[in-house]
Amino acid sequence: MDSFLRVFFDQTINGLVIGNIYALIAVGLAIIFGVGNLINFAHGSVYMIGGYVGWVCVTRYGLPLPVAFAAVAVVCGVIGVLIERFGLRSLQNAARISPLLATIGISFILDQLVQIIFTPDPQSFPNPLPSTRIPIGGGSIGTLDVLIAVTGLSAAAILYVILRYTRLGWALRATAQDREAALQMGVDVNATNRWAFALAAILGGIAGMLVGMYFQTVYPTMSFQAGLKGFTANLIGGLGNIPGALVGGLVLGVVESYGVAVLGPSYRNLFTFVILIGMLIFRPNGLFNPRRQPPPEPLTGTFIAYRKPVRVPRWAVITAAGVALALPLFMRDPYLLQVLTNAWLMGMVALSITLVTGTAGQMSLGQAGFLAIGAYTSALLALRLGWPFELTLLAGGVLSAGLGTLLVLPAFRLRAHYVAIATIGIGEIVSQIILNWDSLTQGPLGLTRIPPPSILGVDVFMPREVYWYSLALLLLAALFQWRLVRSSLGRVWRALREDEVAAQAYGINLYRYKALAFASSAFIAGLSGAFTAHMYTYINNETFNNSTSILGLTMAILGGMGNIIGAIVGALSLTILPELFRGLVDYRYLFYGLVLVLLIRFRPQGLMGTE
């Protein structure tokens, strides 16, 4: 019994400590959401930069902790101001989804810059505090635990004073309540936004440094998971609710700590995503906001400013397809063929995104989950049951359509930013299930010796044969999508995109047609994932990650949302262009992030226009 109580005490303390850090992240997100009605996906990157700045100050220069914290606050505060001024302010009058997508691109840029400067390898961050532990009851707490608790409480107290008793706080609260009214009353809304981003970035950066000290390591990919945990804590308390964000962070930390104690550390992130989806389904307004609030304005119909698409004659499309099919007869370089093969497979991902998001108007940021379902389905059927490749490929697409739609089903009644968060969470849940279901998926070891693609039992090994196979799949997927979009079903999807309320008033069943859109999209993505698994003969839980989803989205936007030819052009462009500068391979994702930000700012309709 004493042992149980000691473990319970230790896990509670651990949960409250890490919950304090989640609370700092969540409060920053709440400030930005309250002032700008924006989910800031770059916040996790600022948190990660704070960890690296603290690491440099403490380990490389041996600075005292107060000086290191001050440096983190200054650097991260400046980054927050720059994000608001140069990344988002010009999008104030753009479509409501544009700033959200811009923050995703900014996150790519910041993450890649850190990898270039410090390498992708984790960096050891030894705890500079004494290892003394303070006994309390049957357990004890360390000096770092005390520091984190004091930092969290101090930040909350300082923020309370700022919001309650200063002109800046009054301006922040007024802007959060009614931006237009605040502007009419003489509040400098741009300056208020700038201060909101600075405060949020300072809190996020300090949280990053504390996490680095707590886990004794910092690494570039720590940003994405931290951002999602901040969103989850924010949802628990209610988006934009600062006291709720504090409580939400503590609740999430304690639940996560208890879960890890029972099931093990590999389940840590799964708890977060399950809570995330649960809150979105049962209490999207959070625990501390009123149950009944006006639903947020949908992002559908406002994705981008629609422009007349570039009309490509049918003969030109047929000619281009013929040239692509004949290319391996004249170009025998296996590397170039492999690059083009990757372009065709990513083209299918872009097609799947432009269908569900561009045509049906349903925001999807978790497309990698559909790819993973298709890949594991096909690989397992081939390895465990010996099915032929043609059947496993089709099964991968079908199961991805069915299972993927069931996973997304709870998000169908959500609107606006909630849909974007939900689809990311669902994609991550798929990845976490793959990671932890060892008996089926081999966990982090992945699946090896997956049979290569084949035609009627004849294995396809040669680069040009794989090229033709992938191109044929892309063309079939494009033809399938073209028929869907020009059918009565496609007209219904476009009606959903333009105005869900009006479509429902005309008797359209929203759930049914959203399900059909996601099923069609997941089917195409599942085929791409299945072929990729057999082409590389190895997959694991990291093969299809969040970067794959965002890259596919960038390709779709580059070509023109809802534009089938544009999706293929976007995939081809973003696959080939980095290869022209092969020596700069480390800058690939920096390039993708810049493309996304510049597209949202200057060419939201894409190269080929939108449909």
Side-chain angles (χ1 to χ4, degrees), residues 507-521:
I508 293 175
N509 187 316
L510 299 183
Y511 280 24
R512 177 187 303 167
Y513 288 100
K514 287 181 182 182
L516 288 172
F518 272 99
S520 302
S521 171

Side-chain angles (χ1 to χ4, degrees), residues 167-168 170-172 174-175 178-192:
R167 289 184 176 273
L168 171 61
W170 300 337
L172 288 170
T175 305
D178 192 325
R179 183 185 182 90
E180 295 301 325
L183 188 62
Q184 293 174 8
M185 295 298 293
V187 174
D188 188 340
V189 173
N190 287 332
T192 303

Side-chain angles (χ1 to χ4, degrees), residues 16-17 20 144-154 210:
L16 291 174
V17 168
N20 265 281
L144 180 56
D145 300 337
V146 174
L147 174 63
I148 292 174
V150 170
T151 303
L153 293 173
S154 301
L210 291 172

Side-chain angles (χ1 to χ4, degrees), residues 191-238:
T192 303
N193 281 342
R194 185 166 59 246
W195 277 107
F197 272 83
L199 283 173
I202 290 170
L203 293 173
I206 290 173
M209 179 174 171
L210 291 172
V211 163
M213 294 167 60
Y214 188 77
F215 291 106
Q216 299 190 1
T217 184
V218 290
Y219 49 95
T221 56
M222 64 191 282
S223 60
F224 177 69
Q225 300 293 345
L228 279 183
K229 291 182 180 184
F231 297 144
T232 304
N234 223 323
L235 277 171
I236 293 173

Side-chain angles (χ1 to χ4, degrees), residues 535-546:
M535 181 177 70
Y536 289 119
T537 71
Y538 170 78
I539 52 173
N540 68 3
N541 65 295
E542 296 181 348
T543 302
F544 308 102
N545 54 30
N546 181 63

